[in-house]
Amino acid sequence: MHEMSLAEGVRGIVEDAARAHPGRKIAAVVLEIGALAAVEVEALTFCLDVVLRGSVAEGARVDVETTPGTGWCMQCAANVPIAALYDACPHCGSYQVQPTGGTEMRVKALELE
Amino acid sequence: MCTVCGCGGGTLTIDGRAVPMRAPAKAHNEGGTRTWRPAADTPPVETEAVHATPGHLHFGHGPAHAHAPGLSQGEMVRIERDILGKNDALAAANRRRLAERGVFALNLVSSPGSGKTTLLVETIRRLAGRLPVAVVEGDQQTEFDAERIRATGAPALQINTGKGCHLDAHMVGRALDELPPPQNGLLLIENVGNLVCPAAFDLGEAHKVVILSVTEGEDKPLKYPDMFAAADLMLLSKVDLLPHLSFDAGRAVDYALRVNPKLRVIRCSATSGEGFDDWLAWIEAGATRARNR
């Protein structure tokens, strides 16, 4: 259940950022979560619902933008789309694919009311 | 004044109805609502305040009293910070401390029951007189593992995470305060037995080492890919038991390499000693690099 730790991290980042905008209500927290990131989005949003209570972002909407997974295929010497860490290259079928994108977990923005 | 374009919100009227300046000619329901393009393959999230009554779509009810395509009416504040940023900063601090002492640190991860502690005990026994070792043990409860390590003569510190499912860089930083690892030595961090959560948390180690025992399923690398992707070395352990099992070692290694083509694999057994020469040589090569950095 490391999603709880991640949710605590989100709360910390949101509270830090909100200090620059005193008195403003936070309408939404925008997260960017890669398709290959080590987190289950459903579980994270569930945890955020609990963790954001009592914070400056209590009741805020949580928007999650997912970025697609990409990997470097060593056979094709090209970046290719992959949906999971164990996916084969969609072009040549090789498993020699190293993830290059879609592993990020970031707080992208806050929407202030 | 409108915070989107600077117009005087709601002052222009057509047929008696307020229309914000520079409003689109029609309801703008396609496209994103933010100040940047949504990531590819992401359906746009509609957040704008549209007040709809039959025959009337009003875009001026939001806080900005105006609408601009692609913008929500609330103020967007870009942050762009990694959720794990705090942990990563603490891990970087741990890494600096370890580098200053020339310490080679490994983060050992696996499911519960893979034999991590037995493997560590045997590793420490064989390294005696060759490389000084300290161990940090992570478990939810009990000090059993640290006691097993201390019985070998190596210093060990037990971290109990309580309800926690993984070690984090803050915990390991505290452990380094309590148990400074030996100069130019080896620090073995045995993470909480969990093949999921520890994958995401950098502790400041040089490498994650994932242990997969042959009494588990050979499909574990595909079922728990994050951990195998995060590791640099896989120890396929308890291989002395292979004759008694239907475990297909070749398939397990193949699956692990699908997830992580750069993964190094060593087959070993703490009971028979198989593979320990390779494992200890790998450790000593790393320790030499850490010393000479």
Side-chain angles (χ1 to χ4, degrees):
Chain A
M1 203 53 185
H2 66 300
E3 281 80 5
M4 206 50 146
S5 304
L6 299 179
E8 303 266 6
V10 171
R11 176 175 168 150
I13 292 169
V14 168
E15 289 186 331
D16 278 356
R19 263 181 225 118
H21 307 275
R24 298 289 298 273
K25 189 163 161 38
I26 295 170
V29 177
V30 186
L31 306 180
E32 183 181 20
I33 307 288
L36 307 179
V39 64
E40 197 52 53
V41 168
E42 289 277 320
L44 179 59
T45 50
F46 175 81
C47 292
L48 279 171
D49 187 44
V50 176
V51 167
L52 292 181
R53 273 181 216 158
S55 79
V56 290
E58 176 161 351
R61 208 174 63 247
V62 176
D63 290 348
V64 179
E65 295 185 354
T66 51
T67 49
T70 55
W72 176 259
C73 174
M74 298 176 200
Q75 303 298 320
C76 298
N79 263 316
V80 295
I82 50 173
L85 289 167
Y86 46 77
D87 270 1
C89 169
H91 304 305
C92 71
S94 160
Y95 287 103
Q96 298 270 298
V97 181
Q98 199 73 31
T100 52
T103 55
E104 50 283 280
M105 293 190 270
R106 287 197 294 180
V107 180
K108 192 167 182 178
L110 296 183
E111 184 180 327
L112 306 177
E113 278 182 4
Chain B
M1 190 174 74
C2 157
T3 56
V4 177
C5 62
C7 67
T11 52
L12 177 70
T13 61
I14 296 176
D15 280 346
R17 292 186 300 195
V19 177
M21 287 170 70
R22 301 190 202 176
K26 63 180 177 68
H28 184 85
N29 286 322
E30 65 278 357
T33 58
R34 307 216 160 78
T35 51
W36 61 85
R37 289 167 58 83
D41 295 342
T42 306
V45 185
E46 195 60 58
T47 59
E48 63 196 356
V50 182
H51 182 77
T53 53
H56 185 192
L57 281 176
H58 199 310
F59 289 86
H61 279 277
H65 307 295
H67 172 267
L71 292 180
S72 81
Q73 300 195 357
E75 182 187 349
M76 298 301 292
V77 180
R78 265 176 183 266
I79 302 181
E80 304 278 0
R81 278 178 57 187
D82 285 338
I83 293 175
L84 283 168
K86 196 174 260 183
N87 183 76
D88 291 348
L90 292 168
N94 291 346
R95 194 165 276 121
R96 274 195 303 277
R97 286 174 74 180
L98 293 166
E100 281 162 13
R101 296 179 73 87
V103 173
F104 184 52
L106 298 176
N107 177 1
L108 293 114
V109 289
S110 81
S111 21
S114 69
K116 283 190 297 298
T117 313
T118 303
L119 194 120
L120 288 194
V121 166
E122 186 60 19
T123 302
I124 293 164
R125 199 182 66 75
R126 287 171 183 255
L127 283 174
R130 292 158 72 177
L131 191 62
V133 185
V135 177
V136 172
E137 285 286 343
D139 282 299
Q140 281 197 317
Q141 299 293 350
T142 82
E143 210 170 325
F144 296 164
D145 280 1
E147 286 163 5
R148 284 177 66 188
I149 300 294
R150 286 184 200 123
T152 68
L157 182 92
Q158 180 77 51
I159 298 176
N160 286 138
T161 58
K163 302 297 176 196
C165 51
H166 58 271
L167 295 177
D168 62 36
H170 175 71
M171 295 173 188
V172 171
R174 283 293 309 278
L176 294 179
D177 295 339
E178 301 282 327
L179 178 80
Q183 191 88 27
N184 297 330
L186 172 68
L187 176 66
L188 298 169
I189 304 166
E190 183 182 335
N191 217 314
V192 177
N194 177 345
L195 212 45
V196 183
C197 309
F201 293 82
D202 184 5
L203 307 179
E205 72 274 2
H207 303 283
K208 281 192 178 73
V209 177
V210 63
I211 296 146
L212 174 63
S213 63
V214 299
T215 50
E216 304 172 54
E218 60 239 4
D219 50 4
K220 279 237 173 123
L222 297 188
K223 289 162 102 174
Y224 303 95
D226 291 315
M227 191 64 85
F228 292 85
D232 296 311
L233 173 68
M234 175 170 101
L235 296 177
L236 187 67
S237 68
K238 306 187 188 178
V239 291
D240 57 299
L241 295 177
L242 277 174
H244 312 289
L245 305 167
S246 58
F247 186 92
D248 184 338
R251 182 179 289 182
V253 172
D254 180 54
Y255 285 160
L257 292 176
R258 281 191 195 184
V259 173
N260 182 353
K262 291 184 176 163
L263 189 68
R264 169 93 195 272
V265 180
I266 296 175
R267 301 180 188 210
C268 65
S269 162
T271 304
S272 71
E274 182 180 341
F276 263 70
D277 288 347
D278 286 348
W279 162 229
L280 298 184
W282 186 86
I283 289 175
E284 287 184 318
T288 303
R289 280 196 306 277
R291 243 192 325 270
N292 298 333
R293 193 170 293 141

